[in-house]
Amino acid sequence: MSVLESAVGLALITADTPAGVAEFLPADTGAVSLGWLMIALPLLGAAVLLFGGRRTNSWGPGLAVAAPWASFGLGAAIIVQLLSFAPAQRARQLVMWDWASVGDLDVHAGLLMDPLSLTFVMLITFVGGLIHVYSLGYMEHDPDKRRFFGYLNLFVASMLLLVLADSYMLLFVGWEGVGLSSYLLIGFWYTNPDYASSGNKAFIVNRIGDFGMITAMALLLVNYGSFDFATVFANAEQASQWQLTLIGLTLLLAACAKSAQFPLQSWLGDAMAGPTPVSALIHAATMVTAGVYLIARSQAIFNATPDARLAVCIVGVITLVFGAIVGCAKDDIKKALAASTMSQIGYMMLAVGLGPIGYTFAIFHLVTHGFFKAGLFLGAGSVMHGMRDQVDMRRFGNLAGGMKVTWILFATFWLAIIGVPGFSGWFSKDKIIEAAFSAGEGWQAWVFGGAALITAGVTAFYMSRLFFMTFHGKARWEDDQHPHDPGLVMLVPMMVLSLGSIVLGFLLWSPWGTKIFPAWLSPVFGEEVHPQPVISVTTIQVSAFILMIAGVAFAWYRYGREEVPVVAPYGNALTRAARRDLYQDETNDIFVVGPTLGLASTLLETERDVVDAGIVGGTTATLSATAEVLRRAQNGFVRSYALTMLLGVVAILGAVWVMQ
């Protein structure tokens, strides 16, 4: 057996093995053995662009664009190879090298290529590749575009490492890489202090999530003696219930930071400071999907702890409502879309919190959302490109006349996200609503399902508000502005995403055809579980349709038919709160920033008054006084030394006499 063959392992999910639990078997070859190249290619592109200097300015962006497409091609080849096996044998592990060996702990660097990780690979590389192409036009005149494309490649490589890792230890490396990449891209125009501050904010909030991830890994090591998925998942139920719940909650904390879920969602709106392609990449294919992946991948743990699953559901429901309310009041087109992402990821978190009935639904919605959300952000970038970087929707209006292609493409993304029947969002989001009405005991089903259903109507309202304010109504732009569509290098990626938003749901999960997607994910999540909602599926679907129509109609009445004021009206208390993100920054200042600064101030005063002035200063003063006494004793006069010796002799003789 060759060295390469011996380095490649096979993870086989047998028919008798619970979903998500991998048993490692000896070597395999073929495309799977080259899986490491999916990460190495964009990582190499990043290294060349970031360290190659100005000599790469002319050809570097082209190399950066080629990298994710090469990874996409290799990922597709691996999927073709896996499809040649029985469904129970479609999980492969590539062990690359031993990382560390300490006592009984053996940590290796390995990749897990199964239907779940490869689904993410396809999304990351395909949508990410389209965003790279779009960026060629969007960043054409930026003097630092080489650095920008280098960061994009680093982002893609980090996310691929995160989803392909076969252990929590290696996943954490990708986890940190994603955090670093987002910081670099959000603050890309760092000469603007506000943009730099936004990058810092995203980085700092995600450090809280990192604390949760590190704590979860420590608990895994204590309970299972390993970070490997196979070992942890196979022995998940051996830990005590309170330990399992604690592991689940700390993983949830990590997921909340990465996926901008309550209460760690405050960074997402500020992340719009980065170039618009960055927003598309973060919201559609990389950063915010990481938390959903973490929960779904850790299903063996969450299946064993109902309390942690309930916490995931509660976080998801709060966030999906929170994001929808904020989205209703935002006039900045990118921040309105950011609020939408927060809400849509909330749907996915709710679904993974539902357990076996929701895992596949969550990943399905994540895939469809990746297409129409990337399209929405790229469409927003197209509008900004034609409106001299204006983002205030109150300064738009009637752009359909000057940007016909952008308007048509944006309309398909809008129809998909609001859930118009036949579009991809209708296939995926409605399934989560149906599953939510099947949650737990009676009150959970009504609360979770009711919130998901009503928020679907609110989503139709605020997304229609955005669409009508931007493309319809009276033109409100300045006279010297001339809205126009961008070039093909920006339009073609949007066209591809538009096609996906129209047909993807039907192709992957058509109720009238073969359900490809649940069959593909069945080796990971088990066979499709059909929810049993507390009300009929027909009632749910009809209600969702009526609420969607009502949301669109109300938005048309307010923002399509009537004239939109250029200056936002004062608004009611809820509107004013939503404009300020429901005071999330103020809340963080009160409960996190303020106490942290207070603690830091107290520790500083303690160090200054107690440590420096007291302990250190007192010790110094004592030593100085002692030294002064000794200095006076050591004066260099013979008579003084003779007198001291005489006194010493007298003292010794006196002591001897007393003792006798």
Side-chain angles (χ1 to χ4, degrees):
M1 182 178 295
S2 67
V3 174
L4 177 60
E5 290 174 331
S6 63
V8 181
L10 169 65
L12 174 62
I13 301 178
T14 65
D16 299 327
T17 304
V21 179
E23 178 185 354
F24 299 110
L25 299 177
D28 190 22
T29 56
V32 175
S33 65
L34 300 175
W36 59 274
L37 282 172
M38 291 189 289
I39 302 168
L41 291 172
L43 189 61
L44 177 62
V48 170
L49 268 69
L50 295 177
F51 298 111
R54 296 177 181 176
R55 64 178 65 89
T56 65
N57 283 344
S58 59
W59 50 268
L63 174 66
V65 171
W69 287 112
S71 297
F72 172 79
L74 180 55
I78 292 173
I79 289 177
V80 171
Q81 180 181 356
L82 294 187
L83 288 174
S84 66
F85 296 99
Q89 300 178 348
R90 292 175 183 169
R92 303 297 172 106
Q93 186 199 30
L94 175 63
V95 179
M96 296 180 291
W97 66 81
D98 288 333
W99 194 346
S101 181
V102 181
D104 295 332
L105 177 63
D106 184 17
V107 181
H108 65 264
L111 306 180
L112 176 61
M113 286 163 278
D114 69 348
L116 177 60
S117 62
L118 289 171
T119 297
F120 275 81
V121 167
M122 292 291 97
L123 177 66
I124 295 163
T125 54
F126 187 79
V127 175
L130 291 174
I131 293 170
H132 276 67
V133 174
Y134 178 95
S135 299
L136 289 174
Y138 193 87
M139 301 295 289
E140 181 180 5
H141 302 294
D142 194 293
D144 287 332
K145 64 179 180 180
R146 173 182 58 83
R147 178 167 58 89
F148 176 80
F149 279 97
Y151 291 162
L152 283 187
N153 270 194
L154 180 62
F155 210 158
V156 169
S158 299
M159 190 65 189
L160 288 173
L161 177 61
L162 190 156
V163 300
L164 286 169
D166 71 343
S167 69
Y168 286 99
M169 180 65 78
L170 194 59
L171 182 151
F172 186 67
V173 177
W175 190 268
E176 290 301 286
V178 168
L180 172 63
S181 303
S182 65
Y183 164 74
L184 295 172
L185 285 167
I186 293 170
F188 179 74
W189 290 314
Y190 59 86
T191 54
N192 184 321
D194 291 336
Y195 294 174
S197 177
S198 297
N200 291 337
K201 184 176 182 179
F203 193 79
I204 292 169
V205 171
N206 274 274
R207 298 293 69 75
I208 300 174
D210 291 347
F211 170 78
M213 190 69 187
I214 292 171
T215 304
M217 290 169 60
L219 291 170
L220 291 172
L221 186 61
V222 169
N223 283 276
Y224 306 109
S226 176
F227 300 115
D228 296 341
F229 292 156
T231 302
V232 172
F233 298 162
N235 301 284
E237 296 185 357
Q238 292 183 10
S240 64
Q241 188 60 219
W242 75 270
Q243 288 274 23
L244 281 169
T245 301
L246 188 56
I247 294 171
L249 293 178
T250 50
L251 289 173
L252 174 60
L253 178 62
C256 284
K258 276 292 184 288
S259 292
Q261 298 293 283
F262 180 85
L264 300 177
Q265 77 284 5
S266 62
W267 66 270
L268 193 61
D270 295 84
M272 299 304 97
T276 301
V278 175
S279 303
L281 193 61
I282 289 176
H283 289 248
T286 55
M287 183 95 160
V288 298
T289 64
V292 179
Y293 173 80
L294 179 65
I295 303 297
R297 175 58 77 190
S298 305
Q299 57 159 313
I301 294 172
F302 284 93
N303 287 344
T305 170
D307 291 339
R309 281 209 317 274
L310 178 60
V312 175
C313 289
I314 292 173
V315 166
V317 167
I318 292 175
T319 310
L320 69 89
V321 174
F322 188 107
I325 293 173
V326 171
C328 290
K330 291 294 185 181
D331 293 328
D332 183 317
I333 187 171
K334 290 176 67 178
K335 290 192 175 182
L337 291 175
S340 167
T341 299
M342 190 189 307
S343 182
Q344 295 302 307
I345 298 295
Y347 274 101
M348 302 171 206
M349 292 294 284
L350 169 61
V352 292
L354 295 174
I357 67 171
Y359 291 127
T360 305
F361 296 156
I363 304 304
F364 182 43
H365 190 51
L366 187 147
V367 171
T368 61
H369 174 266
F371 278 75
F372 58 70
K373 183 51 62 69
L376 287 167
F377 270 107
L378 298 187
S382 177
V383 170
M384 293 168 60
H385 185 269
M387 293 292 289
R388 295 193 315 219
D389 291 329
Q390 177 63 261
V391 295
D392 187 352
M393 294 185 292
R394 294 185 179 276
R395 300 283 179 175
F396 294 158
N398 198 29
L399 293 183
M403 308 179 72
K404 289 185 173 61
V405 179
T406 300
W407 168 59
I408 293 171
L409 296 175
F410 204 98
T412 62
F413 307 134
W414 163 60
L415 295 174
I417 193 172
I418 68 175
V420 171
F423 287 80
S424 60
W426 175 70
F427 285 97
S428 58
K429 187 164 64 177
D430 278 22
K431 294 185 182 301
I432 294 178
I433 298 173
E434 294 170 16
F437 273 107
S438 309
E441 303 300 328
W443 72 268
Q444 294 180 15
W446 287 106
V447 171
F448 296 159
L453 179 62
I454 294 172
T455 303
V458 179
T459 300
F461 167 74
Y462 72 75
M463 288 305 304
S464 299
R465 172 183 180 268
L466 182 152
F467 184 71
F468 296 144
M469 286 181 71
T470 301
F471 294 102
H472 294 274
K474 182 180 178 180
R476 300 179 297 278
W477 65 77
E478 298 176 4
D479 294 337
D480 60 343
Q481 288 181 312
H482 304 284
H484 60 280
D485 283 314
L488 285 178
V489 72
M490 294 173 63
L491 287 177
V492 169
M494 293 171 59
M495 293 175 183
V496 176
L497 292 169
S498 174
L499 180 63
S501 299
I502 296 171
V503 306
L504 197 62
F506 181 84
L507 292 177
L508 295 182
W509 205 324
S510 170
W512 306 286
T514 303
K515 296 182 178 180
I516 298 174
F517 199 75
W520 164 246
L521 288 180
S522 62
V524 182
F525 298 131
E527 295 300 321
E528 180 184 359
V529 178
H530 296 280
Q532 299 296 325
V534 293
I535 54 177
S536 70
V537 172
T538 301
T539 300
I540 295 172
Q541 293 176 343
V542 171
S543 300
F545 182 77
I546 292 173
L547 286 172
M548 183 266 293
I549 294 296
V552 174
F554 186 51
W556 173 256
Y557 174 78
R558 288 288 305 274
Y559 302 100
R561 186 180 65 87
E562 294 185 351
E563 183 174 342
V564 177
V566 175
V567 178
Y570 185 65
N572 57 39
L574 181 58
T575 299
R576 297 195 301 274
R579 288 173 184 160
R580 298 182 62 174
D581 301 322
L582 299 182
Y583 304 112
Q584 56 184 333
D585 285 334
E586 290 81 355
T587 302
N588 289 341
D589 286 342
I590 293 173
F591 292 103
V592 180
V593 178
T596 301
L597 292 177
L599 177 61
S601 178
T602 300
L603 293 175
L604 180 62
E605 292 177 359
T606 301
E607 181 181 11
R608 184 180 62 243
D609 298 338
V610 177
V611 178
D612 288 348
I615 299 174
V616 177
T619 302
T620 302
T622 301
L623 292 175
S624 297
T626 304
E628 179 65 22
V629 172
L630 295 176
R631 185 186 67 80
R632 291 181 179 276
Q634 301 293 328
N635 54 20
F637 294 112
V638 176
R639 61 180 179 270
S640 298
Y641 296 155
L643 179 61
T644 302
M645 293 172 62
L646 177 61
L647 292 175
V649 171
V650 171
I652 293 172
L653 292 175
V656 172
W657 181 76
V658 171
M659 293 177 63
Q660 290 179 349

